[in-house]
Amino acid sequence: MNRLWIENGTFVTMDDSRPVLKGHMVVEGDRIVYLGEEPPSPAPEGAERLNGQGLVFMPGLINTHAHSAMSLLRGYSDDEALQVWLEQKMWPMEAKFTDDDVRWGTSLAVAEMLKSGTTTFVDMYDRMHIVAEVVEQSGIRGVLTRGVIGLCPPDVQTEKLIEAKQFAKDWNGQAGGRITTMMSPHAPYTCPPDYIERIVEAAHELDVPLHTHMSESLAEVEQNVKDYGRRPVEHLDKLGFFSKPALLAHAVHLNDEEIALLAERGAAISHNPASNLKLASGVARVPQLLKAGVTVSLGTDSAASNNNLDLFDEIRLAALIHKGVSGDPTAVPASEALKLGTVYGARALGKHSLLGVLKPGMKADFIAIDAEQPHFYPQTEMVSHLVYSGSGRDVKHVWIDGRQVVSSGECLLIDEAKVKAEAQSCFERLLAR
Amino acid sequence: MNRLWIENGTFVTMDDSRPVLKGHMVVEGDRIVYLGEEPPSPAPEGAERLNGQGLVFMPGLINTHAHSAMSLLRGYSDDEALQVWLEQKMWPMEAKFTDDDVRWGTSLAVAEMLKSGTTTFVDMYDRMHIVAEVVEQSGIRGVLTRGVIGLCPPDVQTEKLIEAKQFAKDWNGQAGGRITTMMSPHAPYTCPPDYIERIVEAAHELDVPLHTHMSESLAEVEQNVKDYGRRPVEHLDKLGFFSKPALLAHAVHLNDEEIALLAERGAAISHNPASNLKLASGVARVPQLLKAGVTVSLGTDSAASNNNLDLFDEIRLAALIHKGVSGDPTAVPASEALKLGTVYGARALGKHSLLGVLKPGMKADFIAIDAEQPHFYPQTEMVSHLVYSGSGRDVKHVWIDGRQVVSSGECLLIDEAKVKAEAQSCFERLLAR
């Protein structure tokens, strides 16, 4: 069994009982087995030793909303309204996607995520078996789901549902447990109510969580009220969506009653600040959601609406924008912002007993930050420094399930040169097609 | 004379007539002498040759508002209201600053700025001769000004004014022209009107521009109305502030009349989005300012309220927040956001005939970005990629006045290890004092 002993490191644990600790951590197999100020005693036999001097170790970041294959469309359409961007730019290009496009787009995204410290990501897309293969090979942890759009004839709906169920069944627990699955109607505005109910039923059948886009734009909320006589949260509630653990991406436009209902139902939010700003969807009511006890996590959304997958950017945005927009400088303090990207992410995925905190018994999903840089000096408040000054480019090493997947900024299990070249070719072929 | 020939590079020029160009650039002495798709003909004799493959070259970034020495206080006080942060945390610590603190705090800031691609910065602080020495040695370009607070007895006011004038006079044009100076009342709320008038008079005497903080918080605008019967823009106008080129930091709370008056007077703004969000000051009306024809540039403010000095962060924030807050996804498009950090910065400092654009005749202040990274793929829209995916950590090389000051991410004229160690000691001594 592989053993790793990190000596003389600084550990930002996300464990409230000892948030920052200078000392030692020991990993055995896929687990953290020791974390403390004193060296482990007895010393772990045959352990690889790593000098942690100048490094800050923290839990791997958790990105709870992505469409990885869309990294191929980074920069393809900027500075447009959500519906124009989606319906006139994204969907026509995505309709041309082949297996290869999904493979190399996803690989590009996973390389970017790993190098910037994300160890777990949620991916909602199609051709998900290809995404799963990329996850398997790259060493990342993935919560994968075939997002289905129900704006199609009943037989096509059924076909998509069968495919989504089959994927969720086949891949749940694969890659040594690194892959788990969910069921996902794309959104209330793209799925008729009875179709959502069938997807919920499938989630029960397979015992997996549910994921969807919800209340991203004001127009979509107004349309929901017009079509179904109620706002999206109540609409989904009536369709049984919250009868399983549910993760809602965006949730920008919520009223007080909806926030209370989400808290009551135990639903979790994937807050996507960069995407919501870029598409001018608005600013989610994160301080109110947190106050109500709703679990708020962070997502990048796709690189086509962000346009990067560096979760440190989302963490900093979450710490900054809610202060500026609410006028309350104490809103989403640094320590809370860092939780959004780690421990709350784990909670949003029902994985908080395994991920999001550095402590014995947890999975060894963690990252090492090069703290020997001017923007981390004076070396005092590391949580503040990580949130307000940190970047994915500061990530030096990454481990997932105790296995090192990034070393000195290089992916160990991904051929990055090939991924970049293939992604470039795919995009050029898409343009020409 | 030193000659540099960059071959096969991608150039984001900020020149509207040819925004992105693949080809060659030649530098002679402190100037760009050639930029074109074809190799220079005849080939420049004795030139150092640099293979630009995989690199994106662009003008060095221009940070139009900083208090560099305050980098010592990075992370010292977060998530507090402006007045608490300023009056209870910053001012008491700054009152303890010695020459050494200013020297090492400024050196830390300059190292961070150079490494993240800033080639020109505006610094408003005191003990400015020390800041000037750091600028001289480090190779950065600085527009320096002794900010004076007039909440003191008349003789102290006079003493400060004399010191500020002497500094502005002694250092203007020094360091081979890399240093220029300004005169700066700290803010309308910290300087009595007659004191501002004396500072304006000094700016005329020395023929230098004026800089001040203005309308950062709503409270300060309301206080101005209460004390002087008018809002800050009109107040400054009456005091003659706009009779010289003027740079106004923050300018968050402006009404339509103030925006029109600023446009008429040709005053420039230093927009500081991260600082304004973090201190919950609000969101400046940048789309309206740009529409009115006001020159808007970008500043980081100090690392105590940001908490980093990476201007790419400000560029991205400027591109994102004004969309999200206004609801208009076309607000501050990527190309405009990049201008805020380059060509408009140069204009705000009256240096647009020398800086902010890559073209023959301009100063050779430019940076090279490592574009061979997943977050810059597919390599299509480089302006979009720089704005929405770029970071100061992507900067590989930096040249100022034709001299290379950063090579492969390392400062050539600053002993970074010493700067970090000294900054750490200074902060620890400040805490203990």
Side-chain angles (χ1 to χ4, degrees):
Chain A
M1 189 191 293
N2 71 306
R3 282 203 176 87
L4 172 66
W5 174 7
I6 296 165
E7 304 172 278
N8 302 314
T10 298
F11 298 87
V12 171
T13 66
M14 307 313 297
D15 177 352
D16 285 337
S17 70
R18 47 176 187 181
V20 181
L21 177 153
K22 296 203 175 195
H24 300 254
M25 187 166 87
V26 179
V27 172
E28 267 184 27
D30 66 346
R31 302 285 170 150
I32 296 167
V33 296
Y34 175 81
L35 180 62
E37 290 174 5
E38 299 302 318
S41 168
E45 262 179 57
E48 177 194 348
R49 291 167 78 147
L50 176 73
N51 181 359
Q53 197 76 43
L55 297 174
V56 170
F57 298 85
M58 63 174 287
L61 303 179
I62 297 176
N63 180 351
T64 60
H65 188 64
H67 311 286
S68 297
M70 292 177 79
S71 283
L72 284 191
L73 304 179
R74 189 197 318 271
Y76 172 65
S77 169
D78 294 317
D79 311 327
E80 305 261 27
L82 173 65
Q83 296 308 324
V84 175
W85 171 83
L86 189 63
E87 293 169 15
Q88 294 173 31
K89 298 286 191 158
M90 293 299 121
W91 286 352
M93 278 295 259
E94 290 179 280
K96 297 194 282 182
F97 270 27
T98 63
D99 282 7
D100 256 9
D101 295 321
V102 171
R103 181 174 309 282
W104 298 113
T106 303
S107 298
L108 182 67
V110 169
E112 184 185 355
M113 286 192 278
L114 284 175
K115 290 176 74 151
S116 56
T118 291
T119 53
T120 297
F121 76 117
V122 171
D123 206 60
M124 185 205 281
Y125 212 65
D126 58 11
R127 303 174 197 258
M128 290 303 295
H129 59 288
I130 298 175
V131 176
E133 285 168 19
V134 173
V135 170
E136 194 166 37
Q137 290 154 20
S138 65
I140 201 168
R141 192 180 299 282
V143 180
L144 309 182
T145 177
R146 201 295 194 206
V148 292
I149 293 180
L151 306 172
C152 49
D155 58 324
V156 183
Q157 281 187 355
T158 298
E159 197 180 299
K160 285 181 177 181
L161 180 54
I162 289 171
E163 182 198 322
K165 275 180 72 176
Q166 195 64 47
F167 171 78
K169 192 177 164 192
D170 290 351
W171 283 92
N172 205 14
Q174 292 299 307
R178 277 191 289 111
I179 295 176
T180 55
T181 59
M182 303 197 289
M183 290 295 294
S184 299
H186 171 269
Y189 72 93
T190 56
C191 291
D194 65 319
Y195 195 43
I196 293 179
E197 285 175 323
R198 289 168 69 197
I199 297 166
V200 170
E201 198 183 321
H204 277 277
E205 214 179 294
L206 299 171
D207 194 20
V208 296
L210 284 156
H211 185 29
T212 196
H213 297 97
M214 188 194 74
S215 305
E216 180 175 5
S217 71
L218 191 57
E220 156 200 343
V221 174
E222 286 166 353
Q223 191 62 42
N224 207 91
V225 172
K226 206 170 148 199
D227 291 349
Y228 307 118
R230 48 182 72 98
R231 293 170 64 93
V233 174
E234 201 191 341
H235 178 65
L236 287 175
D237 191 43
K238 298 272 184 220
L239 300 174
F241 202 80
F242 304 123
S243 61
K244 290 297 287 180
L247 174 64
L248 306 162
H250 304 301
V252 175
H253 300 279
L254 300 177
N255 65 23
D256 291 346
E257 292 69 34
E258 288 177 296
I259 290 176
L261 187 54
L262 289 171
E264 202 181 312
R265 295 289 186 264
I269 303 300
S270 179
H271 174 41
N272 295 190
S275 176
N276 296 157
L277 290 172
K278 181 156 185 276
L279 295 169
S281 305
V283 177
R285 299 176 63 197
V286 168
Q288 291 85 346
L289 283 161
L290 290 169
K291 198 174 167 199
V294 176
T295 297
V296 180
S297 60
L298 291 174
T300 54
D301 210 354
S302 85
S305 66
N306 189 308
N307 296 344
N308 71 77
L309 306 180
D310 179 352
L311 211 72
F312 279 100
D313 263 13
E314 307 301 322
I315 291 169
R316 181 164 49 258
L317 273 177
L320 291 177
I321 57 171
H322 302 294
K323 294 178 173 68
V325 167
S326 71
D328 174 6
T330 67
V332 194
S335 58
E336 190 81 350
L338 206 56
K339 286 181 180 174
L340 299 184
T342 53
V343 60
Y344 296 170
R347 199 186 291 165
L349 302 177
K351 296 183 187 292
H352 43 293
S353 64
L354 296 172
L355 305 177
V357 172
L358 297 186
K359 68 176 176 185
M362 304 295 274
K363 286 274 194 184
D365 284 21
F366 63 101
I367 64 180
I369 311 276
D370 174 7
E372 277 303 320
Q373 300 186 77
H375 56 275
F376 290 133
Y377 269 80
Q379 291 197 336
T380 48
E381 300 299 328
M382 279 314 304
V383 169
S384 161
H385 289 358
L386 290 169
V387 169
Y388 292 119
S389 300
S391 151
R393 277 70 145 196
D394 298 326
V395 173
K396 191 167 180 185
H397 309 305
V398 178
W399 290 261
I400 295 171
D401 257 356
R403 174 165 69 160
Q404 189 163 6
V405 294
V406 172
S407 174
S408 294
E410 298 300 321
C411 289
L412 297 176
L413 304 173
I414 294 177
D415 180 346
E416 194 183 314
K418 183 173 168 66
V419 166
K420 288 184 295 189
E422 294 283 359
Q424 186 74 25
S425 303
C426 283
F427 178 71
E428 286 168 10
R429 284 198 302 268
L430 274 171
L431 271 189
R433 211 172 284 154
Chain B
M1 191 189 293
N2 69 306
R3 283 203 174 88
L4 172 66
W5 174 8
I6 297 166
E7 303 174 277
N8 303 312
T10 298
F11 298 87
V12 171
T13 65
M14 308 314 297
D15 177 351
D16 285 337
S17 70
R18 48 176 187 181
V20 181
L21 177 152
K22 295 200 177 199
H24 301 253
M25 186 166 87
V26 179
V27 172
E28 267 184 26
D30 65 346
R31 301 285 171 150
I32 296 167
V33 296
Y34 175 81
L35 181 61
E37 289 173 6
E38 299 302 318
S41 170
E45 262 179 57
E48 177 193 350
R49 289 166 79 146
L50 177 73
N51 182 359
Q53 197 77 41
L55 297 174
V56 170
F57 298 84
M58 64 174 286
L61 304 179
I62 297 176
N63 180 351
T64 60
H65 188 63
H67 311 285
S68 297
M70 291 176 79
S71 283
L72 283 192
L73 303 180
R74 189 197 317 272
Y76 173 65
S77 168
D78 294 317
D79 310 327
E80 306 259 27
L82 172 65
Q83 296 310 325
V84 174
W85 170 83
L86 189 62
E87 292 169 16
Q88 293 173 31
K89 299 285 191 158
M90 293 299 120
W91 286 351
M93 278 295 260
E94 290 179 279
K96 297 193 282 182
F97 270 27
T98 63
D99 282 7
D100 256 9
D101 296 321
V102 172
R103 180 175 310 281
W104 297 113
T106 302
S107 298
L108 181 68
V110 169
E112 183 185 356
M113 286 192 278
L114 284 175
K115 291 176 73 152
S116 56
T118 291
T119 53
T120 297
F121 76 117
V122 171
D123 206 61
M124 184 206 280
Y125 212 66
D126 58 11
R127 301 175 198 258
M128 290 304 294
H129 60 288
I130 298 176
V131 175
E133 286 168 18
V134 173
V135 169
E136 193 167 37
Q137 290 154 20
S138 64
I140 201 168
R141 193 179 299 282
V143 180
L144 309 182
T145 177
R146 201 294 194 207
V148 292
I149 293 181
L151 306 171
C152 49
D155 57 325
V156 183
Q157 281 186 355
T158 298
E159 196 180 300
K160 285 180 177 182
L161 179 55
I162 290 170
E163 182 197 320
K165 276 180 71 176
Q166 194 65 47
F167 171 78
K169 191 177 164 194
D170 290 350
W171 283 92
N172 205 13
Q174 292 300 307
R178 278 190 288 111
I179 295 176
T180 55
T181 59
M182 302 195 291
M183 290 295 294
S184 300
H186 171 270
Y189 71 94
T190 56
C191 290
D194 65 319
Y195 195 44
I196 294 180
E197 285 175 323
R198 290 168 68 195
I199 298 167
V200 169
E201 197 184 321
H204 278 277
E205 213 179 297
L206 299 171
D207 193 21
V208 297
L210 284 155
H211 184 29
T212 195
H213 298 96
M214 187 194 75
S215 305
E216 179 175 6
S217 71
L218 191 58
E220 157 199 343
V221 174
E222 287 166 351
Q223 190 64 42
N224 206 92
V225 172
K226 206 171 146 199
D227 290 349
Y228 307 117
R230 47 182 74 98
R231 294 171 63 94
V233 175
E234 201 191 341
H235 177 64
L236 286 175
D237 191 43
K238 298 270 183 223
L239 299 175
F241 201 80
F242 304 122
S243 61
K244 290 296 291 178
L247 174 63
L248 306 162
H250 305 301
V252 176
H253 300 279
L254 300 176
N255 64 23
D256 292 346
E257 291 69 34
E258 287 177 295
I259 291 176
L261 187 54
L262 290 172
E264 202 181 312
R265 296 288 186 263
I269 304 299
S270 178
H271 174 41
N272 295 190
S275 175
N276 296 158
L277 291 171
K278 181 156 186 276
L279 295 169
S281 305
V283 176
R285 298 176 65 197
V286 168
Q288 291 86 347
L289 283 161
L290 290 169
K291 199 174 167 198
V294 176
T295 297
V296 180
S297 60
L298 291 173
T300 54
D301 210 354
S302 85
S305 65
N306 189 309
N307 297 346
N308 70 77
L309 306 180
D310 179 353
L311 210 73
F312 280 100
D313 264 13
E314 307 301 321
I315 290 169
R316 181 162 50 258
L317 273 176
L320 291 176
I321 58 171
H322 302 295
K323 295 177 172 67
V325 167
S326 71
D328 174 7
T330 68
V332 194
S335 58
E336 189 81 350
L338 206 56
K339 286 182 181 173
L340 300 184
T342 53
V343 60
Y344 295 170
R347 199 185 292 165
L349 302 177
K351 295 181 187 294
H352 43 292
S353 64
L354 296 172
L355 305 177
V357 172
L358 297 186
K359 69 176 178 186
M362 304 295 274
K363 286 274 192 183
D365 284 21
F366 63 101
I367 64 180
I369 310 277
D370 174 8
E372 277 303 319
Q373 302 187 78
H375 57 275
F376 290 133
Y377 269 81
Q379 291 197 336
T380 49
E381 300 299 329
M382 279 315 305
V383 169
S384 162
H385 289 358
L386 289 170
V387 169
Y388 293 119
S389 298
S391 150
R393 276 70 145 195
D394 298 326
V395 173
K396 193 167 178 182
H397 308 305
V398 178
W399 289 262
I400 296 171
D401 256 355
R403 174 164 70 161
Q404 190 164 5
V405 294
V406 173
S407 174
S408 295
E410 297 300 319
C411 290
L412 297 176
L413 303 174
I414 293 177
D415 180 347
E416 194 184 313
K418 183 173 168 65
V419 166
K420 288 186 296 189
E422 295 282 0
Q424 186 74 24
S425 304
C426 283
F427 179 70
E428 286 167 11
R429 284 198 301 267
L430 273 172
L431 271 188
R433 212 174 282 154

